[in-house]
Amino acid sequence: MSNLVLGALPSLSGLSSYVSGEVQIALGIVVLVICVILAVKQQIGPMIGVIIVAAFIFFMANDPNVIFNAIGEAIKKVFGG
């Protein structure tokens, strides 16, 4: 009985990639709907704003470390450090 192995313990390792993928899909659908509504109303400025904010959220869902590192480097260049 001493050679029992606990093999398939539950793990949440794949959960972050699943959630990231679902956030990206949901974001794409929401942005598409908003952009179509704004295009029909011929409001190009707000549509561009929605696309820019959605791109930021998309990259945050993908890999937030890249965004935070870039912002940190920019702050270091401005304020020194």
Side-chain angles (χ1 to χ4, degrees):
M1 285 300 231
S2 63
N3 58 0
L4 291 177
V5 177
L6 296 175
L9 292 175
S11 172
L12 297 176
S13 64
L15 185 63
S16 66
S17 63
Y18 173 76
V19 169
S20 174
E22 292 302 314
V23 165
Q24 291 172 353
I25 291 170
L27 180 66
I29 292 170
V30 169
V31 168
L32 180 66
V33 169
I34 291 173
C35 285
V36 167
I37 291 170
L38 291 173
V40 167
K41 292 181 178 181
Q42 295 181 353
Q43 295 177 343
I44 303 302
M47 185 172 68
I48 292 171
V50 166
I51 292 171
I52 290 171
V53 170
F56 180 76
I57 294 171
F58 179 80
F59 287 118
M60 285 294 289
N62 227 2
D63 190 11
N65 289 334
V66 172
I67 301 266
F68 289 132
N69 288 341
I71 292 172
E73 290 298 320
I75 290 173
K76 283 182 185 177
K77 288 181 182 178
V78 170
F79 296 110

